[in-house]
């Protein structure tokens, strides 16, 4: 997935000016220009910045740890809704110890769809979406 300098700055927790400086010094792995716009690839959901050779250790990218969110469809609730005629929410979003239920989920950033038939989640889901981005449950 490719992102812009503003999106990279948001992911790295720095200003867009700092990202443009890193790009001009060639320290962002795989980045290239299309016209006047920088295109930055993501590796495991993050841009890769090579460490500098001068000055103190970087402290501008001390990023808080994000807990990934797992989004999946609960098949048991779908079957129960068909049987009883109810309209219970069938989408479950799990982040840490918190479960959020809804009918619609909007993911505002990078995410990936996972299919693991041999290694399902504890709840039994074999297909799910993982993200560290913000999301909105409706």
């Amino acid at each position: 997935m490719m992102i812009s300098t503003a999106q990279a700055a948001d992911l790295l927790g720095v200003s867009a000016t700092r990202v443009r400086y890193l790009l001009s010094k060639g320290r962002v792995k795989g980045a290239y220009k299309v016209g006047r716009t920088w295109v930055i690839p993501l590796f495991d959901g993050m841009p890769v910045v090579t460490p500098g050779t001068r000055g103190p250790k970087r402290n501008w990218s001390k990023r808080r740890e994000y807990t990934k969110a797992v989004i999946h469809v609960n098949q048991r609730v779908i079957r129960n809704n068909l049987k009883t005629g109810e309209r219970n929410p069938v989408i479950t979003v799990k982040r840490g110890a918190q479960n959020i239920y809804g009918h619609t989920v909007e993911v505002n950033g990078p995410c990936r769809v996972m299919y693991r038939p041999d290694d399902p989640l504890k709840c039994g889901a074999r297909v799910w979406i993982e993200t560290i981005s913000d999301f909105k449950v409706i």
Side-chain angles (χ1 to χ4, degrees):
M1 180 174 192
M2 304 296 214
I3 59 172
S4 68
T5 54
Q7 293 166 327
D10 188 43
L11 283 174
L12 291 170
V14 298
S15 68
T17 304
R18 177 69 181 166
V19 172
R20 284 191 295 277
Y21 173 79
L22 294 170
L23 288 164
S24 69
K25 297 297 180 185
R27 291 180 46 196
V28 181
K29 180 179 175 186
Y32 60 93
K33 261 188 156 180
V34 175
R36 294 175 56 193
T37 306
W38 281 99
V39 179
I40 303 167
L42 294 179
F43 299 93
D44 290 332
M46 290 290 293
V48 176
V49 178
T50 58
T53 57
R54 297 180 46 201
K57 300 268 187 205
R58 62 183 182 177
N59 62 1
W60 47 265
S61 67
K62 288 184 180 171
R63 187 176 168 179
R64 63 184 184 269
E65 289 296 319
Y66 288 103
T67 307
K68 71 177 174 186
V70 176
I71 305 165
H72 73 91
V73 177
N74 193 330
Q75 295 294 321
R76 282 174 275 184
V77 176
I78 291 174
R79 285 191 288 273
N80 190 40
N81 283 349
L82 287 172
K83 194 183 297 181
T84 62
E86 296 178 3
R87 292 283 181 210
N88 294 325
V90 298
I91 299 174
T92 304
V93 180
K94 296 180 180 191
R95 179 169 268 172
Q98 181 183 21
N99 286 344
I100 304 168
Y101 303 97
H103 295 284
T104 305
V105 177
E106 294 177 7
V107 179
N108 302 320
C111 62
R112 61 180 165 188
V113 178
M114 305 290 291
Y115 172 59
R116 293 191 185 155
D118 300 328
D119 186 22
L121 295 176
K122 290 178 183 177
C123 63
R126 289 178 169 81
V127 178
W128 63 89
I129 299 170
E130 289 183 351
T131 185
I132 60 168
S133 303
D134 293 334
F135 58 87
K136 180 178 164 186
V137 178
I138 302 170

